[in-house]
Amino acid sequence: MLLWPFYGLSKHYSKKYKFKLHSKPNPFRRSLHVFVIDAGCDVELLLEFYSLLSPKYNTHRWGIFFVNTPRSADLLVILSKPTPKMLPIVKEAINQMPKPYGVMLIENSSFDKYDLNLPNIVEHLKGDIEAEEIFKKLIEIAQGGLIC
Amino acid sequence: MKRLLGIINNKGKEQLLVSSGSFVGLIDSSQSKDFKAYLWQKGLNKTGQVQDELFNFRLGPSSGALLESVIFNIFTYGERMKEVYIDNTYKSRSIEQKMRAKCPFEALKLSEQICASFAFSHSCAFSRAIEEAFNINISDNVKIMRLVLLEVERIFNHIYVISRLSGAAAQKVLTNHLIYLFDEILSLNKTFFGSRFLKNINTIGSIKYIPKAQMEIFSKKLESIVNEFSKLYEFSLKSHNYLDRLYNTGILTMDDFEMFNFDGPALKAINISLDTRVYEDFFDNFKSVIEEDGDALSRMIVRAKEVFQSMRLIKQLIEKLKEDVPNSNIVIEDDQKEKNSIAFAESPSGTIYYYIELIGNKIDYVYIAAPSMFLIKAIEKSLEGQIFTDFAFTVDSFGAFFADAAK
């Protein structure tokens, strides 16, 4: 009987991406640890991030790792503008991050218009953001390094 | 079988939104004793308090173990969960309130933002309610296209849920394959319909025009993905390790249904179907997929079989499509009259009901009975008595979204 690990090896899903990278000799020198926080999104962005776990993107090869706590993250990704109840939790997550850190805010639907005044925002994406676009931004941040 | 879909509290009068067979409508609140689910919907159930030696293990709202921001209050004395209470208020965006005083076209966009995984179902249920209120006739092609896209939504959602389930049960290879297939379907949606989650396609009285030839190509590409899923599913059923984890886990019974009135695959897994697709004219002899055990494995099997069933339905529906361009100039006039309507659409995790009251061409009141509202109560019940190891795949087997429940 064929075992799962061999079944897995029988398919090649990884896509060959071409990115405009910084002129560093080794594109895999840096890695980026990412913590994703759902601040009240309609699940779309969460599912886009879930798609990034597909072998097609092969995120580990590019040095991108998703972690389970902001205490071990370089980058905090906030999905949608926080609901009133989530705002203090998002701010506390930022407080827990080790320095240097960056914050990436992604909004696909904005109900409330107010300024968040969050520190160290390295990227603010708006509109219908797809997995591939998020992936490219993460690569850019990973390759460029966090300057905060 | 009767279901209490919600309690309508508008202008100081309380009414019950109920469904029974093909009837969906409002009844007087004096009949609330007929529904055990009235207690939790009214907030009359006991709230979580520490009893005896139990302590509250609080998981969330920002935790790597959870996808969405929600709090699980787990009352436990160690490994076994005695009681579970879910607080999903962190996800609340008050969309029902935001829909008020808006025109139906603006509110339609809001309905798509409740939960991306059910975006098309919400949009479909909402537009059906408005069409009924204003007596807007829609063409057969629009009806068929809506049914096709509802089935597409079902396929990618079920594959997503099964991938989460297998991930929770530590089946990493299967999970990676399934996430790949999930992403492939989303890419296919983007190519053919312009939106990965089928947003901005449906509108009141109409739908985006896609030629029949294009739909046939889409169907073939989708079928190849479903065939790939079929191989993976058959292969996964040979993994005893996987099946042992799901079998007899998170069991629900008929008593639980009477108490919480959930539907969708969670109900089909206990041998009962309230699938509203049986009332659709364009399905030939539709029969729901049902299983018997009421556990996580049965819910997974129902979803997998529904993927194959949906693919067959899509092919049948596309054959019935005709080459006519749908009317895209629907105008809703302000006649200053008061109207109300109820409509529904079958989402992947259960039926979505919309009750809408209108004054002229503005929305006055909306109540949305989303399937996840009921499934969250089912999750709470199914976790009772389980050990922590079973937590992830019990929760994931329901396919509930907290964004959908909190609205």
Side-chain angles (χ1 to χ4, degrees):
Chain A
M1 193 182 96
L2 196 62
L3 298 170
W4 269 123
F6 295 103
Y7 193 97
L9 288 170
S10 66
K11 297 277 179 186
H12 302 282
Y13 290 140
S14 295
K15 194 173 169 182
K16 287 183 179 172
Y17 285 96
K18 286 182 182 174
F19 296 116
K20 282 183 184 173
L21 298 173
H22 292 261
S23 57
K24 289 194 172 70
N26 180 4
F28 301 107
R29 201 171 65 184
R30 288 174 187 274
S31 66
L32 188 71
H33 287 220
V34 182
F35 180 71
V36 181
I37 186 164
D38 166 30
C41 77
D42 68 347
V43 191
E44 179 173 348
L45 292 170
L46 275 170
L47 295 183
E48 294 291 3
F49 263 91
Y50 189 71
S51 294
L52 280 185
L53 302 178
S54 159
K56 182 170 129 187
Y57 300 103
N58 212 345
T59 53
H60 288 189
R61 182 169 167 267
W62 292 92
I64 295 166
F65 299 90
F66 292 100
V67 293
N68 284 336
T69 163
R71 289 194 182 191
S72 53
D74 304 312
L75 182 73
L76 180 79
V77 181
I78 303 167
L79 302 183
S80 91
K81 194 162 262 185
T83 59
K85 275 188 99 168
M86 277 306 289
L87 188 57
I89 288 153
V90 167
K91 288 187 173 172
E92 182 53 32
I94 294 172
N95 282 340
Q96 297 289 326
M97 293 180 75
K99 290 177 182 172
Y101 67 87
V103 175
M104 184 173 169
L105 178 61
I106 311 179
E107 293 177 68
N108 67 337
S109 56
S110 191
F111 296 113
D112 306 305
K113 289 176 181 165
Y114 57 89
D115 288 328
L116 288 171
N117 293 324
L118 298 177
N120 297 1
I121 292 193
V122 291
E123 196 67 61
H124 188 171
L125 303 177
K126 286 182 181 176
D128 292 331
I129 310 296
E130 293 168 16
E132 200 156 317
E133 201 175 332
I134 295 168
F135 182 51
K136 285 176 182 171
K137 285 289 172 197
L138 292 177
I139 299 282
E140 274 176 30
I141 294 169
Q143 301 302 322
L146 285 167
I147 307 161
C148 303
Chain B
M1 285 182 53
K2 291 191 291 187
R3 278 183 77 205
L4 177 63
L5 305 171
I7 300 166
I8 309 294
N9 252 319
N10 194 23
K11 293 167 188 162
K13 192 181 175 191
E14 185 182 284
Q15 289 174 295
L16 307 179
L17 178 62
V18 298
S19 77
S20 177
S22 58
F23 168 79
V24 186
L26 297 179
I27 60 168
D28 196 75
S29 65
S30 59
Q31 295 182 49
S32 61
K33 286 177 186 168
D34 295 347
F35 300 94
K36 289 180 184 172
Y38 181 79
L39 290 175
W40 72 263
Q41 293 207 24
K42 194 71 181 163
L44 298 175
N45 272 357
K46 58 176 181 173
T47 52
Q49 287 177 342
V50 179
Q51 299 159 9
D52 302 323
E53 300 88 21
L54 299 179
F55 68 92
N56 183 1
F57 177 82
R58 213 182 87 149
L59 186 64
S62 164
S63 162
L66 301 171
L67 199 67
E68 292 185 76
S69 51
V70 63
I71 292 181
F72 282 80
N73 291 295
I74 303 167
F75 289 87
T76 177
Y77 54 79
E79 185 63 10
R80 200 166 291 280
M81 293 173 275
K82 296 289 283 180
E83 290 175 49
V84 180
Y85 300 98
I86 298 171
D87 176 4
N88 64 0
T89 52
Y90 290 81
K91 293 284 291 188
S92 178
R93 292 148 293 153
S94 311
I95 292 180
E96 285 165 330
Q97 280 80 14
K98 287 186 172 89
M99 281 180 174
R100 291 184 187 180
K102 293 232 169 18
C103 84
F105 290 98
E106 288 174 299
L108 179 73
K109 299 290 169 210
L110 287 171
S111 76
E112 288 185 344
Q113 290 175 14
I114 291 171
C115 177
S117 209
F118 306 154
F120 193 80
S121 308
H122 272 284
S123 160
C124 208
F126 179 86
S127 45
R128 281 172 178 174
I130 298 293
E131 285 153 11
E132 194 184 307
F134 288 94
N135 290 321
I136 298 168
N137 289 319
I138 57 168
S139 67
D140 284 355
N141 254 20
V142 174
K143 287 179 188 169
I144 293 170
M145 273 299 287
R146 281 181 183 169
L147 292 176
V148 169
L149 293 177
L150 284 171
E151 296 308 313
V152 173
E153 189 177 70
R154 185 179 306 278
I155 291 176
F156 75 70
N157 183 77
H158 281 358
I159 291 179
Y160 162 76
V161 173
I162 296 172
S163 78
R164 291 278 302 167
L165 191 58
S166 64
Q171 304 295 305
K172 299 292 182 192
V173 178
L174 173 63
T175 310
N176 282 343
H177 278 279
L178 293 178
I179 299 173
Y180 175 79
L181 297 184
F182 170 67
D183 188 60
E184 282 295 287
I185 300 176
L186 297 187
S187 302
L188 210 57
N189 288 346
K190 174 77 179 175
T191 310
F192 284 85
F193 310 116
S195 167
R196 280 161 72 86
F197 290 95
L198 307 175
K199 289 181 175 179
N200 303 319
I201 298 168
N202 183 51
T203 187
I204 294 157
S206 187
I207 200 163
K208 189 175 177 180
Y209 173 65
I210 314 280
K212 187 177 177 180
Q214 281 285 94
M215 288 304 295
E216 281 167 353
I217 297 168
F218 170 79
S219 165
K220 278 181 188 163
K221 286 182 185 285
L222 185 64
E223 193 176 15
S224 69
I225 294 174
V226 170
N227 288 342
E228 182 74 9
F229 169 75
S230 169
K231 285 181 206 163
L232 289 162
Y233 172 65
E234 292 298 327
F235 197 72
S236 75
L237 293 182
K238 292 173 187 164
S239 170
H240 298 294
N241 180 21
Y242 179 43
L243 300 186
D244 281 351
R245 285 172 181 229
L246 304 182
Y247 182 63
N248 265 346
T249 303
I251 297 174
L252 291 175
T253 60
M254 264 309 288
D255 290 343
D256 300 326
F257 166 73
E258 283 175 12
M259 191 60 85
F260 303 119
N261 286 184
F262 53 84
D263 75 335
L267 183 62
K268 288 172 191 169
I270 53 176
N271 212 356
I272 296 158
S273 171
L274 293 176
D275 197 323
T276 54
R277 287 180 290 172
V278 292
Y279 306 120
E280 299 287 354
D281 299 331
F282 293 96
F283 292 134
D284 308 325
N285 302 320
F286 176 83
K287 279 186 184 167
S288 299
V289 174
I290 47 172
E291 285 291 317
E292 288 182 354
D293 293 337
D295 56 3
L297 179 62
S298 297
R299 290 190 281 276
M300 193 269 280
I301 293 171
V302 167
R303 284 181 191 276
K305 287 183 179 173
E306 280 196 349
V307 169
F308 310 132
Q309 183 191 43
S310 292
M311 193 61 238
R312 287 194 297 274
L313 293 173
I314 288 169
K315 287 200 288 188
Q316 286 170 15
L317 288 166
I318 288 175
E319 277 178 19
K320 293 176 184 172
L321 274 175
K322 290 175 188 138
E323 286 295 348
D324 61 335
V325 182
N327 182 9
S328 58
N329 299 315
I330 306 290
V331 179
I332 294 173
E333 289 179 4
D334 183 7
D335 55 4
Q336 295 293 318
K337 287 180 185 167
E338 288 187 17
K339 308 177 194 69
N340 64 49
S341 64
I342 300 169
F344 53 82
E346 191 65 32
S347 86
S349 288
T351 316
I352 295 173
Y353 292 88
Y354 270 72
Y355 170 73
I356 301 178
E357 289 181 8
L358 296 125
I359 298 176
N361 64 353
K362 293 275 186 272
I363 287 167
D364 187 46
Y365 179 85
V366 183
Y367 182 85
I368 306 164
S372 305
M373 277 164 50
F374 304 92
L375 290 174
I376 281 175
K377 301 306 286 183
I379 291 171
E380 285 179 353
K381 182 70 180 66
S382 69
L383 284 173
E384 280 178 16
Q386 301 281 313
I387 57 169
F388 273 99
T389 318
D390 299 334
F391 177 84
F393 42 86
T394 303
V395 174
D396 289 330
S397 67
F398 284 93
F401 291 91
F402 301 103
D404 188 44
K407 293 173 270 184

